[in-house]
Amino acid sequence: VLGAFHLYVSYVFGGDDNGDSRFSKAVVGGTPNFGSFLFDGVNNWSGAILLCSMAGMVLMSFFQFLRRHAFNIWYFLHMVFGILILVMLFLHSVPSAAFVTAWWGLDLLVRYAVMAGLKNVTRAKLRIIGTKHRDKARLVELIVKKPAGFQYNAGQFVRLAVPALSSVEFHPISFASAPDERYIVLQVRKLGDWTERLCELAETTEFTDVLLEGPYGAMSIDLEDDDKYTMVLCVSGGIGVTPCQSVGKHLLLKHRQEGRRLKRLNFVWAVRDLQMVEDIPPLFLGATHNSVDDEETSQVEENYSKNSPDFRRMMERADYFRTGAIDKSARSTQSSDSSKMPRRPAVVQADIYCTRQKMIQSDVEGRHMRYNLYSGRPDLDQIFEDMKQSAIALGASNIAVIGCGPTALMEAVQDACRKHSSSVLCIGDDAVFFDFHKEHFEL
């Protein structure tokens, strides 16, 4: 916008009538011709190319289709426009371009050559998760050996490159693991050309080298404040479960190991593919993986100890209140013995909603599920109302809501936060506020 305004001022008001060639075709030159003005002299044509390059870069980033489905083309054009901008700045007599270029080059050197290329080179195990489509993988999990000194926070993301595909192409991927775990877990959905090649690599290769650059991002909600946020609601859709997994597991580990105050964690996941839930169960409870090292096989640490009373109550609740996946008659038969009902609710409650795959009783019979399985879409109004009533009963005034998923789902969650939050003028024991943090990424 400022570049276009600069062009307008130069054409209409710039220069004088003393015969300056740069403005001979401008308004002040007496024979205005905008087309000729753009290419009249080095300063003019360099400015025109500079403005077009900036406009091209902005437009490519504004429209999502090229970036989402042809990332390599988008990335190449983005770099070409970036280099053109720097060169044209020099030709346009902008001396500060030297400082900008030097600073940009130093940034690239440190982040990619030193940190990613030397310090954070590590090894990852590839695992296909979820149901294949036409015998091709659509979801890939990377279990990454954590580089020495690499630290991150729950809810952050890292820029990942796979040298087997390209050493210079980095993509942002959210952490699905908690910061205190031994391994970094990343989950990637097939979306564009790079992710398609990653899925193809996972079908033929079990281990590969990876480069990590980051981490980046920060939560807009201070979840470390356990005086304010003792109740947390995570709502995710599809592969958007990854940051919610990271946040949920981190909270449970802190609650179990360090005594973080946590009165309730409700984990809601809407998913089309039930196989995906089995491959990466909510909060990875009881999940095991082979080690990233070829020579050894080990079990990744349990994210929530089975010896925890809260874990046992969660299991009891899941076994007793398993609804939606089976019919009411079967449920009433299972729940006829009221003595088996858990006397206290579990701290953590995991509710899975299978939105497209119709479930029947045989789908869940014989399974030892650690989550409640429902058929259909989540009733957000009911979920938020239940959380609000629980908060009032437990004496909590703020509920942290973490969301990641399709735009329509996140908009619905945001509307539910507004609808069920108390008025800012409301003061009292019944005042409850839903504080919303949304994760959204496209690459």
Side-chain angles (χ1 to χ4, degrees):
V1 174
L2 291 177
F5 180 70
H6 173 67
L7 174 61
Y8 167 76
V9 171
S10 299
Y11 179 66
V12 177
F13 304 105
D16 50 39
D17 57 358
N18 62 0
D20 191 338
S21 61
R22 291 179 299 172
F23 303 100
S24 61
K25 302 298 183 181
V27 173
V28 295
T31 56
N33 186 313
F34 183 72
S36 299
F37 170 78
L38 291 177
F39 301 98
D40 188 13
V42 175
N43 266 26
N44 289 25
W45 63 256
S46 63
I49 296 177
L50 177 62
L51 179 60
C52 291
S53 299
M54 290 190 294
M57 185 177 290
V58 170
L59 289 174
M60 284 197 310
S61 298
F62 183 78
F63 296 104
Q64 302 177 6
F65 182 82
L66 185 63
R67 180 176 52 180
R68 290 169 65 93
H69 299 284
F71 179 84
N72 285 334
I73 297 176
W74 175 87
Y75 184 77
F76 174 77
L77 292 176
H78 208 73
M79 294 301 296
V80 169
F81 283 137
I83 294 172
L84 274 176
I85 288 172
L86 293 176
V87 174
M88 292 304 115
L89 281 173
F90 280 110
L91 296 176
H92 201 62
S93 303
V94 182
S96 59
F99 174 77
V100 174
T101 304
W103 187 255
W104 184 40
L106 179 61
D107 175 68
L108 293 177
L109 178 66
V110 172
R111 290 197 293 122
Y112 293 102
V114 177
M115 299 303 294
L118 297 177
K119 187 174 184 295
N120 293 334
V121 180
T122 185
R123 193 159 176 79
K125 178 183 178 182
L126 303 177
R127 186 173 75 105
I128 296 173
I129 57 178
T131 302
K132 290 186 177 183
H133 178 64
R134 297 178 181 175
D135 295 327
K136 291 186 177 181
R138 292 187 298 175
L139 295 167
V140 174
E141 181 179 69
L142 295 91
I143 306 165
V144 183
K145 188 174 183 179
K146 187 183 293 186
F150 188 87
Q151 296 180 347
Y152 63 94
N153 297 323
Q156 287 189 308
F157 68 92
V158 66
R159 292 176 59 83
L160 170 75
V162 181
L165 304 178
S166 173
S167 297
V168 296
E169 187 175 344
F170 287 78
H171 289 259
I173 309 295
S174 291
F175 294 105
S177 51
D180 295 332
E181 290 185 285
R182 290 172 54 199
Y183 298 105
I184 297 171
V185 179
L186 307 172
Q187 290 150 0
V188 183
R189 178 171 68 93
K190 178 182 174 182
L191 183 62
D193 47 6
W194 183 83
T195 52
E196 181 177 2
R197 288 185 289 131
L198 179 62
C199 290
E200 293 173 353
L201 180 66
E203 293 179 333
T204 58
T205 305
E206 185 177 6
F207 296 94
T208 187
D209 293 330
V210 297
L211 310 179
L212 302 179
E213 197 270 307
Y216 294 105
M219 299 283 291
S220 60
I221 297 174
D222 184 12
L223 288 179
E224 300 302 321
D225 185 357
D226 61 352
D227 289 328
K228 184 176 183 179
Y229 295 116
T230 59
M231 299 189 66
V232 180
L233 170 62
C234 294
V235 183
S236 58
I239 197 62
V241 72
T242 50
C244 292
Q245 292 271 33
S246 179
V247 170
K249 293 195 298 178
H250 173 67
L251 292 174
L252 291 177
L253 283 169
K254 289 290 185 181
H255 172 64
R256 176 59 182 162
Q257 298 175 358
E258 300 180 13
R260 184 204 188 280
R261 295 205 307 159
L262 187 64
K263 296 178 179 178
R264 184 172 177 185
L265 169 62
N266 196 358
F267 192 91
V268 178
W269 184 14
V271 63
R272 299 176 182 178
D273 183 8
L274 191 58
Q275 182 62 44
M276 184 178 175
V277 180
E278 295 180 350
D279 290 341
I280 48 173
L283 307 177
F284 289 166
L285 298 173
T288 61
H289 302 295
N290 289 336
S291 169
V292 179
D293 298 316
D294 296 284
E295 295 81 9
E296 64 180 61
T297 299
S298 63
Q299 178 173 327
V300 178
E301 300 96 334
E302 288 270 347
N303 302 293
Y304 197 50
S305 172
K306 291 182 179 180
N307 296 323
S308 165
D310 295 315
F311 181 90
R312 291 196 299 269
R313 287 197 296 273
M314 183 191 70
M315 291 296 299
E316 292 169 357
R317 188 188 189 286
D319 289 338
Y320 182 80
F321 290 105
R322 188 176 303 153
T323 61
I326 57 178
D327 57 44
K328 294 182 179 180
S329 60
R331 190 167 6 115
S332 62
T333 303
Q334 291 179 353
S335 59
S336 58
D337 187 359
S338 60
S339 63
K340 295 181 181 181
M341 182 183 295
R343 288 172 291 180
R344 287 196 296 156
V347 167
V348 60
Q349 175 181 333
D351 297 326
I352 310 301
Y353 293 83
C354 199
T355 58
R356 287 197 176 181
Q357 179 174 323
K358 187 177 181 180
M359 293 177 296
I360 57 176
Q361 184 171 351
S362 59
D363 288 332
V364 295
E365 283 182 342
R367 294 183 184 178
H368 188 52
M369 297 187 298
R370 298 182 174 96
Y371 46 83
N372 303 317
L373 189 59
Y374 299 87
S375 180
R377 300 183 182 278
D379 185 346
L380 292 178
D381 281 333
Q382 185 62 50
I383 291 170
F384 273 77
E385 185 60 30
D386 288 346
M387 288 292 292
K388 185 174 184 178
Q389 295 304 318
S390 295
I392 294 174
L394 295 172
S397 58
N398 291 85
I399 299 175
V401 181
I402 314 299
C404 185
T407 302
L409 176 61
M410 292 300 98
E411 290 177 351
V413 173
Q414 188 168 357
D415 291 340
C417 288
R418 296 194 186 102
K419 177 179 178 181
H420 294 275
S421 290
S422 301
S423 170
V424 293
L425 300 178
C426 180
I427 300 176
D429 295 337
D430 293 343
V432 177
F433 304 95
F434 290 90
D435 301 331
F436 185 41
H437 171 82
K438 177 177 65 175
E439 293 284 341
H440 183 65
F441 48 88
E442 298 173 348
L443 297 181

